[in-house]
Amino acid sequence: MKEHSSNYNVTGICSLLERDKTFANLYNLSCSHGNDTAATYLENGNKLTVSYSQLAAVTDVWTSFLGKRFPEKERVAISLDTCRDWFPLFWGLVRSGHDTLLLDPACTDRKTAVLMEQAGCKAIVSGKRRKLPDSFNVLDISELRSLDCSAAPDIPERGWGSNVALCTSGTTSDSQIFVYNESTICEIALLSGYIYKRNRLFIADSPHNTLAFLPFHHVLGFAAVFVWSTFLGFNSVFLKDRSAQTIQETVLRCGVTQIVTVPLLANSLTKSFYASLGKRNPVVRAGIKALLSASIMVQHLFPKAGHAAAGFVFRPLRKRLLGNDLKTLILGGSYANPEALRLLNALGYLTVCGFGMTETSITGFELSWRLQNRLKGSIGAPLPGTEYRIKGGGPAGELQIRGKGLHDARFVDGRMLPALTDSEGWLDTGDVVRMGRHGQHFVEGRIKDVIIGESGENVYPDELESLFSGLEGVNQSAIVGLPQKDSRYQDIALVMNIGDRLDDAGFTASLAAQVASISGGLPVYKRIRHVLVTGTALPTANSFKVKKQQLVQSIVSGSA
């Protein structure tokens, strides 16, 4: 853990925010961490740091400039990848009286314009050059970065912005925008106090070095990394890019202790680990696998002691994977491969699944020491202020949520409308869950992605995808349901992006044999009926999850 000020106190800072749930108080509490490290990054081979005091000084200058650059109190969009400038930009806009709209910087100019129109937004700060209609007021981030931050700025006195809007990751035509008021953002920050009491590995008695892997326009990145980290005085570790080499180098050199990410990263690490293990001496390979199994068995019997022992026993392996400083990984956003959960927990990295949506922010994750919950992908029980129920009252079905952390409003065609909840405050999530014996919940899949075969059985793509995720030479893969002609049923299809190996007949033949072997071991109703390979990237949301509905449409139309 990093050096920190003597006044670091989770309970104390939560009590201060509880008294005044405003953006102004949240910002001031973040800045109160003073000379503690707020950001770490690698540049030209050197490890550089920025303190909270330094970020506050930059924020003052940017607040003054932004107040003059956007003189009217209006909503301003942020289109900037995750970096240390995010703090002064976001708070500079809010302090100068602006509400914000968080956009994916990878969005095309057309989609950016559509989302801004939908949110009634005419101004944007962008990290890259944009060709937007003349009606939009565009500010390039380079103008802010070139400002002299040594001079004392004049801060506009016109009140603070009061809300932030986040977008779902749909196509241009079906993306939705949800608004969170400042009091709701403060409620999200306050959840850290409860987590601190439940499990000190997730929020400890000293600040984490948290990897800023997820983009801050993503609900998990914004809530769990940007809001929680800066509120608690954590050190956010920034990446120059998201390549596997950069991630590993940054995690090891910067002493990352916590990662909040999507399962894709955990799956990739698992695949890399076993590929490396496969090249080792058979005796060594068998010994490591035996130790991993023993670690799981010991952690079942003695959760805390077994976890600590795993961290010690596997130090040499951990050093080459994610390092020995890393304590926890929190996975959210999609289904987690059971093999990845097993490996990472066996190595002594406390790895859990959580649940959150653009409509709900973070509502829960597995906080217990019960290993079986973690290995099965439990998302835990709902966090304080949040309620779960299963639609229809059965043991499995669509998850409904209500509580303090849900969105307060939404934008439709430039108009702000009430929250997307029923008269009792319940939100339909579109996710199928089942409840465990101890009140924990397990996500089975998305309702819209469920495949209904001729047997009438429901097949959840996420479960099958985990079985094919370890195939060598496959860049992306997805399980989708292709409609049968003149029928309401669907065939299960495996779609794979194999890049420039598309014309390699030997490779594709080997791949087909591996798929057939895995599929042949499944129940008949879960077997793969079609295998499609491509050399082009599959459509993704936030560069992570494959957009299955869009993929199916392109296959059916013949454009894939």
Side-chain angles (χ1 to χ4, degrees):
M1 298 285 185
K2 70 185 181 71
E3 293 295 321
H4 60 280
S5 58
S6 59
N7 64 358
Y8 178 80
N9 183 324
V10 174
T11 303
I13 200 169
C14 285
S15 66
L16 292 173
L17 184 60
E18 188 72 53
R19 298 174 196 171
D20 179 18
K21 299 173 186 176
T22 61
F23 274 152
N25 191 32
L26 181 60
Y27 171 74
N28 290 329
L29 289 172
S30 297
C31 292
S32 72
H33 299 297
N35 292 325
D36 286 353
T37 302
T40 299
Y41 57 100
L42 301 178
E43 186 172 276
N44 298 324
N46 299 312
K47 184 171 77 170
L48 304 178
T49 63
V50 179
S51 70
Y52 278 92
S53 293
Q54 290 172 311
L55 284 183
V58 174
T59 304
D60 285 345
V61 174
W62 287 21
T63 300
S64 176
F65 179 87
L66 291 165
K68 297 170 184 174
R69 184 65 167 73
F70 304 119
E72 302 296 326
K73 293 188 68 171
E74 59 182 326
R75 187 173 303 278
V76 179
I78 296 175
S79 177
L80 181 69
D81 203 358
T82 303
C83 63
R84 64 188 183 279
D85 290 330
W86 228 91
F87 184 98
L89 176 56
F90 176 81
W91 286 117
L93 286 169
V94 173
R95 287 181 72 198
S96 57
H98 301 293
D99 298 328
T100 55
L101 169 66
L102 311 186
L103 297 177
D104 182 350
C107 280
T108 63
D109 289 340
R110 177 174 175 271
K111 183 170 182 178
T112 296
V114 169
L115 290 172
M116 290 178 67
E117 290 282 5
Q118 190 174 332
C121 177
K122 292 295 183 182
I124 181 173
V125 181
S126 178
K128 65 180 182 181
R129 293 186 179 278
R130 293 279 183 189
K131 293 183 179 179
L132 299 176
D134 293 340
S135 57
F136 291 109
N137 188 351
V138 182
L139 172 64
D140 193 285
I141 191 67
S142 60
E143 288 191 52
L144 289 166
R145 289 171 173 163
S146 66
L147 295 175
D148 178 8
C149 293
S150 62
D154 53 319
I155 308 297
E157 296 290 340
R158 60 180 187 185
W160 292 55
S162 61
N163 65 65
V164 55
L166 293 94
C167 307
T168 62
S169 54
T171 61
T172 301
S173 60
D174 63 12
S175 288
Q176 299 183 75
I177 301 175
F178 296 94
V179 179
Y180 289 82
N181 293 335
E182 58 184 336
S183 60
T184 304
I185 297 297
C186 290
E187 292 287 358
I188 293 168
L190 287 167
L191 291 173
S192 58
Y194 172 78
I195 296 166
Y196 171 75
K197 294 174 183 176
R198 282 291 310 276
N199 193 320
R200 294 292 172 85
L201 272 186
F202 293 108
I203 294 180
D205 289 312
S206 56
H208 271 295
N209 296 329
T210 300
L211 185 69
F213 176 82
L214 290 176
F216 287 169
H217 68 269
H218 186 286
V219 64
L220 291 180
F222 180 72
V225 183
F226 182 73
V227 174
W228 281 357
S229 290
T230 56
F231 170 58
L232 295 172
F234 288 3
N235 169 28
S236 295
V237 179
F238 293 97
L239 297 161
K240 66 177 181 181
D241 59 59
R242 293 184 177 87
S243 68
Q245 182 179 347
T246 296
I247 292 170
Q248 187 173 46
E249 179 188 10
T250 305
V251 167
L252 294 176
R253 289 194 57 192
C254 298
V256 167
T257 59
Q258 184 173 84
I259 301 176
V260 181
T261 183
V262 289
L264 181 65
L265 177 60
N267 297 344
S268 176
L269 289 167
T270 301
K271 185 176 179 179
S272 174
F273 176 88
Y274 281 116
S276 176
L277 185 62
K279 299 175 183 177
R280 305 187 73 161
N281 179 288
V283 176
V284 174
R285 186 164 65 242
I288 290 174
K289 288 184 176 180
L291 283 173
L292 290 171
S293 296
S295 174
I296 291 297
M297 182 180 67
V298 173
Q299 289 188 61
H300 271 301
L301 298 172
F302 311 102
K304 292 185 180 181
H307 169 77
F312 176 78
V313 170
F314 292 110
R315 284 185 68 83
L317 291 177
R318 287 161 53 101
K319 186 177 181 180
R320 291 195 292 269
L321 189 65
L322 291 171
N324 287 304
D325 293 314
L326 186 67
K327 309 297 181 187
T328 62
L329 289 99
I330 303 173
L331 311 179
S334 60
Y335 180 81
N337 186 340
E339 186 60 38
L341 294 173
R342 185 180 186 279
L343 173 66
L344 294 170
N345 278 293
L347 290 171
Y349 299 124
L350 194 73
T351 305
V352 301
C353 294
F355 188 86
M357 305 171 62
T358 309
E359 299 92 320
T360 66
S361 185
I362 298 173
T363 61
F365 63 92
E366 182 57 54
L367 286 169
S368 78
W369 279 93
R370 188 177 291 113
L371 180 63
Q372 195 64 20
N373 287 359
R374 282 181 270 143
L375 297 185
K376 290 183 177 180
S378 164
I379 60 170
L383 292 168
T386 302
E387 298 175 77
Y388 288 172
R389 77 176 183 186
I390 293 176
K391 198 170 185 177
E398 183 178 8
L399 176 66
Q400 293 182 305
I401 300 177
R402 71 176 177 185
K404 296 179 180 179
L406 270 65
H407 69 281
D408 297 288
R410 57 198 168 100
F411 275 110
V412 177
D413 297 330
R415 296 183 301 128
M416 189 180 289
L417 301 178
L420 196 63
T421 55
D422 65 19
S423 59
E424 296 180 337
W426 290 100
L427 174 82
D428 292 337
T429 64
D431 284 284
V432 177
V433 304
R434 58 181 172 83
M435 184 181 293
R437 290 182 298 169
H438 303 286
Q440 72 276 43
H441 294 73
F442 302 88
V443 178
E444 300 285 350
R446 295 286 292 168
I447 291 176
K448 66 180 181 180
D449 293 332
V450 172
I451 301 169
I452 304 176
E454 292 177 334
S455 67
E457 296 275 1
N458 288 350
V459 176
Y460 296 100
D462 290 340
E463 176 191 355
L464 293 183
E465 284 174 352
S466 67
L467 301 176
F468 296 94
S469 63
L471 295 173
E472 286 295 324
V474 177
N475 299 330
Q476 295 170 286
S477 62
I479 296 287
V480 297
L482 298 181
Q484 296 180 358
K485 188 176 181 180
D486 301 323
S487 171
R488 68 184 184 89
Y489 299 116
Q490 299 163 296
D491 288 336
I492 300 173
L494 171 62
V495 186
M496 295 178 286
N497 163 23
I498 58 175
D500 56 11
R501 305 192 73 171
L502 184 62
D503 297 323
D504 185 337
F507 171 75
T508 54
S510 172
L511 189 61
Q514 292 178 68
V515 171
S517 176
I518 297 171
S519 180
L522 296 171
V524 173
Y525 73 92
K526 289 185 177 181
R527 291 179 184 172
I528 305 299
R529 299 287 297 273
H530 305 283
V531 178
L532 306 175
V533 292
T534 178
T536 58
L538 306 183
T540 60
N542 292 318
S543 302
F544 303 127
K545 293 189 296 184
V546 173
K547 296 180 179 178
K548 293 176 182 175
Q549 299 301 310
Q550 183 177 336
L551 179 59
V552 169
Q553 290 172 8
S554 63
I555 293 171
V556 172
S557 66
S559 60

